[in-house]
Amino acid sequence: MAVPVVGGIVVLSAVLAWSRSRLADPFPALWEDASTFGATGTVPVASALLALALGSLAGLLLRRTVPAPAVALLASGLVTVVLGQVRDHLWPVVKAAYPLKDDSPLPKWAYAVEEGFLTTGGDRLPADICTNPSLEFEDCLAGHDVTLNYLDYHPASHFWPLQLVETGILLALAALAVFAAFRVLRRLHG
């Protein structure tokens, strides 16, 4: 069952990559967007294998045809949501500091993870620290001893490292689910 699933996912990912390569802009959608990131690279194959392993485990545990895929889909979706929440932290970000009056140095096709202000002591303050309408913006920044802006971001070159780390996590979870399924199978059938 894994061979047709993986084969189908590989073909669909290849068609998506080919169709995107025909566009003038290679990143027409933001590459870090959950739907784009999860449909390209190595992540969709690992996600499919995890879903298949979770489906097998759920089938062995529940012994019911309809609830087992529903439980597997729910578990697989939960893993996708959790990984989407921690994806920014799976690979070190690029840190940049720049003068208050300058524009953001965010490169093309990069996405900002965090931005804000730096004090003279190097402390980080959130970008919305000076939203009080009763204070002038510059006076507020001076009151907090702000000297620079900071920006943490992932450039487009982090696409493959992030893909491979997430793929490793998904494959480790799939292996754990397969191991658990074999343990259940052994317990059920001696």
Side-chain angles (χ1 to χ4, degrees), residues 16-190:
L16 178 64
W18 173 82
S19 67
R20 287 181 64 178
S21 72
R22 308 308 253 170
L23 299 172
D25 186 357
F27 287 109
L30 297 176
W31 63 267
E32 80 280 359
D33 180 61
S35 59
T36 303
F37 191 85
T40 55
T42 54
V43 167
V45 173
S47 293
L49 288 173
L50 175 61
L52 185 62
L54 289 173
S56 298
L57 178 60
L60 287 169
L61 288 172
L62 299 176
R63 297 185 190 183
R64 301 274 185 224
T65 305
V66 176
V71 167
L73 181 65
L74 182 65
S76 183
L78 181 64
V79 168
T80 300
V81 168
V82 169
L83 282 174
Q85 296 295 317
V86 300
R87 183 174 296 134
D88 294 342
H89 308 291
L90 295 178
W91 196 255
V93 295
V94 174
K95 297 175 183 284
Y98 58 99
L100 292 173
K101 302 290 184 192
D102 289 357
D103 290 333
S104 171
L106 190 65
K108 188 174 183 180
W109 298 322
Y111 78 95
V113 174
E114 185 180 353
E115 54 188 320
F117 301 107
L118 287 174
T119 65
T120 54
D123 295 328
R124 290 176 165 226
L125 300 175
D128 62 353
I129 190 86
C130 291
T131 57
N132 187 347
S134 64
L135 290 175
E136 289 293 323
F137 186 70
E138 286 79 17
D139 293 338
C140 177
L141 292 179
H144 288 290
D145 198 25
V146 170
T147 57
L148 295 169
N149 289 313
Y150 76 87
L151 174 67
D152 296 345
Y153 65 93
H154 282 294
S157 63
H158 285 189
F159 174 78
W160 281 110
L162 286 165
Q163 278 276 319
L164 294 175
V165 169
E166 190 164 330
T167 298
I169 293 169
L170 290 167
L171 290 177
L173 291 172
L176 188 62
V178 167
F179 176 75
F182 275 112
R183 296 285 300 206
V184 169
L185 190 61
R186 177 174 282 158
R187 190 186 77 219
L188 290 175
H189 299 289

